[in-house]
Amino acid sequence: MLDLDILDTPAAAALALDPIKARLLAELSVPASAATLAGRVGLTRQKVNYHLKALEDEKLVEQAEARRWGGITERLMVATARSYVVSPAALGPVGADPGISGDRFSASYLVALAARIVREVGALWRGARAADKRLATLSIDATIRFASPAARAAFTADLTEAVATLVARYHDEKAPGGRAHRLVVAAYPAPTNQERKSDADEI
């Protein structure tokens, strides 16, 4: 089971967003049979089997074990990942694209950049898993509490200069065998504890 998987087809995204199927996915963090799930979610076994078949067809669940009870085989199913993210690729031409916005200081541009990361890294990661290889990535996550808007502006200037210096030092347009990497630097106001709680209550 993966810690996280990225859903990049409309069919898989639609299934994961369906309330009943989402509940089943959450219950299947550990293997369970249709009969067990039926008792947990308040549906008939036949209805649960219907939903499991749809999830299995899109590779969101898989068989973990099969048990024989007399002449009946009971399948224990498990989710293929503990959590999922829907890629903008699942939305086709209406998926977020940073190329559409020219305002690099807007919230919509930042969200579109994040969406592009999900789309591109998701596709690369899926290919790496298929080839049984690791995907080399780098992530830096930090929270900075600025004393004033002036301090934030000064930090932005220093960071821009530092990144420009590093890019100039390491970028080699003509290196044989070299591979381009995307670098995205973003900053936004960190949510307060109350905002985090409100978001959790809505889910």
Side-chain angles (χ1 to χ4, degrees):
M1 177 187 288
L2 298 169
D3 287 333
L4 179 147
D5 200 7
I6 298 174
L7 308 179
D8 56 7
T9 67
L15 290 178
L17 292 171
D18 176 81
I20 295 175
K21 294 179 179 65
R23 172 74 187 280
L24 292 174
L25 286 173
E27 293 288 344
L28 287 172
S29 59
V30 293
S33 66
T36 299
L37 290 169
R40 292 178 186 171
V41 302
L43 295 174
T44 65
R45 179 174 178 170
Q46 291 75 15
K47 284 280 185 69
V48 170
N49 273 323
Y50 167 79
H51 291 297
L52 289 178
K53 175 66 166 58
L55 291 169
E56 187 177 18
D57 287 345
E58 289 298 321
K59 297 182 172 53
L60 296 178
V61 302
E62 61 190 4
Q63 180 174 303
E65 186 181 347
R67 296 173 178 172
R68 294 281 298 180
W69 301 96
I72 299 175
T73 299
E74 182 181 55
R75 299 203 305 159
L76 273 66
M77 307 300 290
V78 68
T80 54
R82 290 186 176 86
S83 60
Y84 299 90
V85 173
V86 176
S87 168
L91 298 175
V94 298
D97 180 1
I100 295 175
S101 173
D103 183 2
R104 294 177 177 268
F105 296 99
S106 68
S108 61
Y109 184 79
L110 174 56
V111 171
L113 274 180
R116 186 179 68 185
I117 291 172
V118 172
R119 183 178 69 247
E120 293 182 343
V121 174
L124 290 168
W125 189 29
R126 187 178 300 277
R129 295 203 312 265
D132 197 23
K133 294 181 179 180
R134 289 180 59 85
L135 178 64
T137 63
L138 167 66
S139 303
I140 299 174
D141 183 13
T143 301
I144 305 171
R145 189 171 189 271
F146 295 111
S148 66
R152 184 184 63 210
F155 173 82
T156 300
D158 288 345
L159 180 61
T160 301
E161 181 180 351
V163 171
T165 299
L166 288 171
V167 169
R169 181 185 305 166
Y170 290 102
H171 178 68
D172 191 333
E173 189 67 39
K174 300 179 180 179
R179 181 167 185 177
H181 283 65
R182 285 202 191 279
L183 174 65
V184 176
V185 180
Y188 57 91
T192 64
N193 289 334
Q194 184 59 42
E195 287 170 332
R196 293 191 190 98
K197 184 178 184 302
S198 297
D199 289 341
D201 291 342
E202 291 176 3
I203 294 176

